[in-house]
Amino acid sequence: MSFDGLRLQATGPRRAVLLLALLCFVAFFVNNGFLRPDIMETRNLETAREMVEGGNWLVPRMNGEYRLEKPPLPTWIAAAAQAVAPDNLEVQRTMSGLAGCMLVVFFYLFAVKITRRDDYAFIASLMLITCYQIILQARTATWDIYCHSFMMWAIYFLWRGFYDECYYSTSHSARWFTLAGIMMGLSFMSKGPVSFYALLLPFLVMALWHRRPDMSGKWK
């Protein structure tokens, strides 16, 4: 099947972004309180509630017991939502939906960057939004969507640090690598090394196979 007929014209990218935004709204936010919370979501929300009520944001607790098995960033986000809108499941899930939107945004930007084709980026992002696992993660207040969203940011910044000079003859590698490192840290604080294996490692293998980056002047 050929996608030549879907090639975007001058005003195409704007229409594509609007359509992707509409799909994100429908997939991630509409009726997001319909599903009953599962056990993992319940644990996260209960930990966030006790964090707000006890005033201890440094050490997570659930039912009065320490809960240190999971990294704290998604719980902090849930606790912030709990402080603003107590016991509101829709608001909690909206935070995950926003993380899902940012995943789609940086996936789209990354696809445009590596192919320089807006039509390819649109079709790839459309497939991402309609994946069942992405929809489920972005509609529940759990950890997964945060770690993958932040890692997608990191991959986009890494690509720019590796290859931007090849396209634009300007060096902003220190900025891109710094941003990539921050996003990797946020991903790790969301669910440990999960996304490092799931997204970062395949990306690095692909990048080295695609074209070895020129690291002269970038190692520091």
Side-chain angles (χ1 to χ4, degrees), residues 35 127-138:
L35 293 176
M127 295 177 65
L128 177 69
I129 295 174
T130 54
C131 287
Y132 169 77
Q133 193 66 19
I134 297 298
I135 295 175
L136 179 63
Q137 291 180 6

Side-chain angles (χ1 to χ4, degrees), residues 23-162:
L23 291 174
C24 284
F25 175 74
V26 173
F28 301 156
F29 300 105
V30 173
N31 293 329
N32 67 349
F34 178 77
L35 293 176
R36 294 184 62 183
D38 59 22
I39 185 170
M40 298 304 295
E41 190 175 16
T42 302
R43 289 174 177 174
N44 190 35
L45 297 181
E46 175 61 23
T47 305
R49 185 183 65 80
E50 293 188 25
M51 185 176 287
V52 173
E53 292 182 354
N56 188 348
W57 290 63
L58 185 61
V59 181
R61 292 174 181 268
M62 187 177 69
N63 297 327
E65 301 293 333
Y66 291 122
R67 187 165 186 260
L68 306 176
E69 294 83 359
K70 297 287 186 179
L73 182 56
T75 307
W76 288 340
I77 295 174
Q82 172 71 15
V84 173
D87 300 324
N88 191 316
L89 183 61
E90 288 80 3
V91 172
Q92 293 286 356
R93 290 175 171 175
T94 294
M95 306 303 289
S96 297
L98 292 175
C101 290
M102 296 312 299
L103 172 64
V104 174
V105 167
F106 278 88
F107 181 86
Y108 177 84
L109 294 175
F110 178 66
V112 171
K113 183 62 65 174
I114 64 175
T115 65
R116 286 176 280 182
R117 287 184 53 179
D118 296 305
D119 56 342
Y120 175 89
F122 170 72
I123 294 168
S125 301
L126 187 63
M127 295 177 65
L128 177 69
I129 295 174
T130 54
C131 287
Y132 169 77
Q133 193 66 19
I134 297 298
I135 295 175
L136 179 63
Q137 291 180 6
R139 293 179 69 89
T140 55
T142 55
W143 299 266
D144 302 80
I145 193 64
Y146 294 104
C147 75
H148 297 314
S149 179
F150 288 127
M151 186 56 73
M152 192 66 244
W153 297 28
I155 289 172
Y156 171 75
F157 294 139
L158 273 179
W159 181 272
R160 299 206 64 171
F162 283 153

